[in-house]
Amino acid sequence: LHLTLLHSGSQLITSYNNNAVYLYNTHDSTQYAGRYMGHRNNDTVKGVNFYGSRSEYVMSGSDCGHIFIWNTKTQKIVQCLEGEVNGIVNCLEYNPTQPMLASSGLQHSFKIWTPLLEDSNQMSDLEEILEKNTSGQQIPRDIMTMFLSRAMSEGELQDNCRQS
């Protein structure tokens, strides 16, 4: 479970280990107020966040390596960015005073995103991405193998085993 509270405290977004992000009004927790679909959230729980000066957007990473941005009110995908090639995007944080966000996944790196002058809407392959995410089609990599091989090569696994 990952959750983010809106700065005013009136809304909360949550990400569970399933393929939806949920928006709740904090004064009425009986039913979700919004549901954002399309990303894939099976391998690791993804961070979710609001984005925009008035929290007009909800954003989340995905097991497919993309960053999904939805309109908070309409719940429609307004942007889908390739964050990691053959990787996972787990964390997204925004800058509250500048139009930028940071993303990271399982790798030892992060990316800073800023807008371009030209139209950079990268949603031409959105239908294909959504089809793969909703069909349960295997993503072409083995997360545990990636993690274990990296940990072993860096000596992390041996160090952790000795400490326990």
Side-chain angles (χ1 to χ4, degrees):
L1 168 69
H2 182 273
L3 55 94
T4 302
L5 186 65
L6 186 65
H7 60 86
S8 68
S10 62
Q11 293 184 312
L12 175 75
I13 49 175
T14 62
S15 175
Y16 303 95
N17 198 14
N18 66 21
N19 292 333
V21 172
Y22 297 93
L23 173 75
Y24 295 93
N25 292 318
T26 55
H27 62 274
D28 177 20
S29 62
T30 58
Q31 174 97 9
Y32 59 83
R35 187 169 123 181
Y36 307 90
M37 302 287 292
H39 77 307
R40 186 167 176 166
N41 190 13
N42 295 331
D43 294 331
T44 58
V45 176
K46 309 298 170 286
V48 292
N49 223 324
F50 291 100
Y51 184 70
S53 60
R54 293 178 304 282
S55 302
E56 307 92 292
Y57 305 101
V58 169
M59 60 181 181
S60 177
S62 178
D63 289 342
C64 68
H66 288 80
I67 297 169
F68 285 81
I69 302 176
W70 297 269
N71 179 293
T72 302
K73 289 182 183 171
T74 67
Q75 302 166 34
K76 293 186 190 277
I77 298 170
V78 296
Q79 188 61 277
C80 181
L81 305 167
E82 186 172 33
E84 297 289 338
V85 178
N86 292 324
I88 291 176
V89 176
N90 278 335
C91 300
L92 292 169
E93 292 295 331
Y94 75 101
N95 182 319
T97 61
Q98 299 293 320
M100 66 173 49
L101 61 99
S103 67
S104 68
L106 297 177
Q107 294 75 19
H108 292 291
S109 63
F110 61 91
K111 293 181 181 176
I112 302 295
W113 300 80
T114 58
L116 299 172
L117 292 178
E118 69 267 5
D119 183 12
S120 64
N121 193 326
Q122 300 178 13
M123 295 187 13
S124 60
D125 57 349
L126 180 62
E127 290 301 318
E128 181 183 338
I129 294 166
L130 294 176
E131 175 64 30
K132 286 179 183 177
N133 286 349
T134 57
S135 70
Q137 185 176 0
Q138 183 63 34
I139 296 173
R141 70 187 173 291
D142 183 344
I143 299 300
M144 192 54 83
T145 302
M146 287 172 46
F147 171 76
L148 289 174
S149 63
R150 185 179 74 213
M152 289 178 71
S153 70
E154 296 174 359
E156 292 176 11
L157 195 58
Q158 293 88 352
D159 292 343
N160 288 337
C161 291
R162 277 187 234 123
Q163 291 174 359
S164 54

